[in-house]
Structure formats: C-alpha cells, structure tokens
Amino acid sequence: MDTSRLLRTTGTVIAAAGLLLSGCTSDGSGGPKAVASSAGGTAPAAASTAVPAALRPYYEQKLSWRDCGVPGFQCATMKAPLDYAHPESGQDVDIAVARRQATGPGKRLGSLVVNPGGPGGSGIGYLQAYAGIGYPAAVRARYDMVSFDPRGVDRSSPVQCLTGPEMDKFTQVDQTPDNAAERAELVAAFKQFAAGCQSRSQRVLPHVSTVEAARDMDVLRAVLGDEKLAYVGASYGTFLGATYAELFPGRVGRLVLDGAMDPSRPALEMNRDQTGGFETALRSFIKDCAKQSDCPLGKGGPEAMTEQLKEFFRKADAQPVPSGDPDRPLGESLATTGVIAALYDESAWPQLREALTAAMNGDGSGLLSLADSYYEREADGKYANLMFANAAVNCLDQPPAFAGPDAVDAAVPSFQKASPVFGAGLAWASLNCAYWPVKATGEARALTAKGAPPIVVVGTVRDPATPYKWAQALAQQLDSGVLLTYDGDGHTAYGRGSACIDTAINQYLLAGTPPKDGKKCT
C-alpha cells in the first residue's frame, strides 16, 4: 500500500477512499494560459473569462440524461479533450456524470458538485451511496446533487494496471524489507505495477492530472448551466477544489474543502506528515481500546499496548496468519493495511478490536476484509481501479518522494520518528512513483485563488489522513480562506455527527454566509 497520498473520505472504505496511497494533489482551467504543457502544467494561471474557440464545443455540449439504474438518479456522459493543450486534435475522454435533482421545497440554488477524495474515488459511487441521499435534507432540497468520476477513474476512461491475481500478489509484497532479497522484490513490484499501467493505459496516463480534472470540472459547471461552481470536496477533493479556485477564481461560488490538503507540501513531506497522522489516530484508538473489555492489546498503558501491536505485525511478517483464503494469508502488509483502513473513522474501532482479536488468535479473515475494503477488492477477486487511478494522478501531480531505495533508507528514521508503528512501511510505500513511466507535470506550490469569494476550509484536529496543520496551511494560503475546526477524531468532519460543523456548513451552502474564520466545534 502506498500511503504517499490516497486521501480517502469516510464515505467509501468504510466509505470513500483513504490515504494518500501514492501521492495526491490538483489544479484546472479553460483559459489559454492555464496549462504550460500538454499534460496539465506546473503552475496554473487564472483563466480568462472567455472560453477559447477550440474549447467552445465542449463548453456548449448538451448532456443527454438517462436513468442510472439507481432510483432517483440520472446519468450522462460528458466529453472533454484528452489534451487541453491540443483540444483541436479530436481526441476526447468520456467523463461519467450523475445527478439527483433538487427535491424542494424552496428556490433551487443550482448544482452542488461533490467529490469524495482519493485520488481515484468514484464520485458517482459516492453520490449514489451517500451524498445524494445522506446530505442534509435542506441542502438536497435546494441543490441538484451532482458528481462525476474524474478522468482515469472508474467510469471515466479508467486507468488499468494489474489483473486481479496480479493485484493480489502486489498487496502482499513485504513493505518493510529486512534484507536485500525483500528489498529487490519490493522494487520489482513497483516496477511491474508501473509497467502494467503503461501497457494497459498508455493513451490516458499522461492526462489524468488534477489540473486536467479541475478543467473538466469547469466544463461540467458550464454544461450544468451554472455561472458559479458550488462544491464540497473531501480529502484529496480539497486539492481538486483549491486547484479549481486557483484557475477560475471568478467562477467560484460556495466552496467547502473538508479534510484539507496542503498543496505547498512536497511529496516527501506530505507522506511523512500523513505517517504522523496515522500515529495520532492509532494513539486515539489505543486510548479508547484500553477502556473496552474486548481490547486485544492488553491494559498495560499506551506504550505497552503499542508494543503489542508491533509484535503482532512482526509475527505476521515471519509467519502469515491463515485468513480463509489459502492464496492470501494475512502477512504484515495486509494486516497493516487492515488496521489503517479502520483508523479513518472511529466508528470502525469496534470492528478493528474484533478483527485484531481474531487475528491474534489465528484467524486473519477480519483484518483481510478491512484491507479488501481499503483496496476496493470485490469478493470475486476483481479490484476497482481506485489504486491504479490513485497512483496515476499522484505520480503526475508531483515529482516522486524518492529517487530510489537508497533515498528511502536515509529517510526511514524520520518516518519512524513520526510513527514507530507505521513509519518504515509508509516510507517504503512512498517509493512507487520513482518508477512511473510518465514524468510529473505538477509540483508543490501554494494556491491563493486571488479574487475568489470566501472559501471554507475544514480541518479535524486528530484526522489520520489529512493532518490538521494542512487545513491551517491551506486556509492561510487562500486569499479568502476561512478555517473551520472540528476538535475530534476521524477523517473529515461534515456529516459525521457534529451539529456545530453541519450547521456552519449548511448555513454557508444555503445562505452564502461563511462561518467566522477560526470557528471551533467539538
């Protein structure tokens, strides 16, 4: 698992997507200066209000809505240029879009576009399973709830890399190599993954950056008939939203960026920050576990309990635990992924206690199930393309965290300082982009969105995947950023039980009144 940047929301693992699996960030535009290279550009400039002639057919297209097969929802396919630098080439990508129309009562406010994170999370899946039916009724009454699968994701010209059996093997490779042979095996696995993406997705691979996804989002805004974009982005979706605002500040409506990323952090720093975030979440879990009668980590205090978990991982590394699937015993890599998956949302802590108890007693099926939810593996052995799209976007959006294994070796101590439990594995997981077949087109940079109206940035104090300091940084970078803080656990804050957070965001979405900058909720 590469935690380099798969930022998930609690809508898909146990809800949407989850860690910066390989690196994550974003940008977008429609003006002639928006992109400096064919792949999307390094430093997007604000787009002009006029749509270039070559892009007008895309901006003026009419969507043909049809039944989705899910009651209450409609679907359509939007065309976007494969390469925004050469829209006249005639090469397109298909962007899958879905909506649930405003239910009323009250005056319709337009469309509210939502994104669940990832990168690689399916917006359509998120809309149909959660946002379109679970957002506050007052919001759904006045907005058409809309989402899309970003280019390269699921239904939108998806990136493909490995077969199901190949992916099964990839997820089991030891990510804490103890010797030269294990190190070589891990490097070979990353190279095979990258080669698979190149051979199966060569056409789209250079064109799935966050910049391009943000530009697609502006086309979507136009074809939906909205003058301004109203948007709620979670996790990686905050980077997508901030990128949109940087490119189109004059087209920004009401933007909520929940579980925010800091676009100015280079990949290495971002991955290390996130490693520390999972350590913080683990400590919260351990503190709670000590109070429960079914805690499998004992009652000897935080350090002793942490050592119990580390010892379990060491044993799983030496002798994988039977899982019920003879081809996929629970080794250290899958066990670690299962634990991390449950740390995204404190509501999963009881499930994690149960799964750990079983695994420590010789039944790894529960932790394997958690790992499968993280990787979006189906019971038939097929994988959604989440992990493929995640790597493809992350490896385009920033240069790799590490150039090779020697650089990882040098950084492991700092990762272990950030997390004694997860540090080594997450350091090695950050190596994947080193072997990517397409050169990165983006770079870490602050986004200011000068001229945009107030943008609400939400941070959770003990967020495992997007550390709170990232929200503080993004709110400060944005000229009109407004910081809203949730003093709680879990990944993201909106719709997760805080009436204070929900009321503040609802007021902003419905009346356009942002919370006071610095407002804190519990």
Side-chain angles (χ1 to χ4, degrees), residues 346-492:
E346 66 271 28
S347 69
W349 290 354
Q351 183 181 357
L352 178 55
R353 292 196 305 272
E354 181 180 350
L356 273 172
T357 299
M360 289 176 173
N361 286 287
D363 177 6
S365 60
L367 277 181
L368 181 63
S369 178
L370 282 168
D372 285 349
S373 73
Y374 185 86
Y375 288 125
E376 294 196 356
R377 183 188 190 273
E378 302 297 335
D380 62 2
K382 294 179 181 178
Y383 287 78
N385 93 312
L386 169 68
M387 304 306 297
F388 311 142
N390 179 262
V393 175
N394 287 336
C395 296
L396 268 187
D397 279 351
Q398 280 203 27
F402 298 117
D406 290 344
V408 181
D409 279 333
V412 163
S414 67
F415 274 72
Q416 288 179 318
K417 182 178 179 180
S419 174
V421 177
F422 303 122
L426 297 188
W428 281 101
S430 305
L431 182 61
N432 70 328
C433 288
Y435 308 105
W436 204 245
V438 181
K439 186 178 179 180
T441 56
E443 64 182 9
R445 60 183 295 269
L447 300 178
T448 62
K450 187 175 181 180
I455 297 172
V456 175
V457 179
V458 188
T460 296
V461 171
R462 292 178 296 281
D463 191 313
T466 50
Y468 177 62
K469 67 180 181 181
W470 289 0
Q472 293 175 301
L474 179 59
Q476 188 171 26
Q477 288 168 34
L478 293 169
D479 276 10
S480 59
V482 175
L483 180 63
L484 176 62
T485 297
Y486 174 50
D487 186 359
D489 296 290
H491 186 35
T492 73

Side-chain angles (χ1 to χ4, degrees), residues 86-180:
H86 301 286
E88 74 287 345
S89 70
Q91 293 195 64
D92 295 339
V93 289
D94 291 334
I95 306 296
V97 182
R99 73 178 180 185
R100 182 168 188 159
Q101 292 181 289
T103 58
K107 181 181 178 182
R108 179 181 173 278
L109 294 174
S111 304
L112 179 63
V113 178
V114 297
N115 180 275
S122 169
I124 292 177
Y126 177 71
L127 180 75
Q128 293 175 345
Y130 173 63
I133 56 177
Y135 263 41
V139 173
R140 291 183 285 113
R142 302 189 60 195
Y143 282 101
D144 290 348
M145 299 294 297
V146 177
S147 195
F148 67 107
D149 286 353
R151 55 173 61 209
V153 174
D154 203 359
R155 303 164 181 84
S156 296
S157 303
V159 171
Q160 298 296 339
C161 299
L162 300 180
T163 65
E166 288 172 340
M167 191 65 182
D168 281 346
K169 291 180 181 178
F170 179 78
T171 61
Q172 294 180 68
V173 174
D174 190 347
Q175 298 226 9
T176 56
D178 301 313
N179 53 50

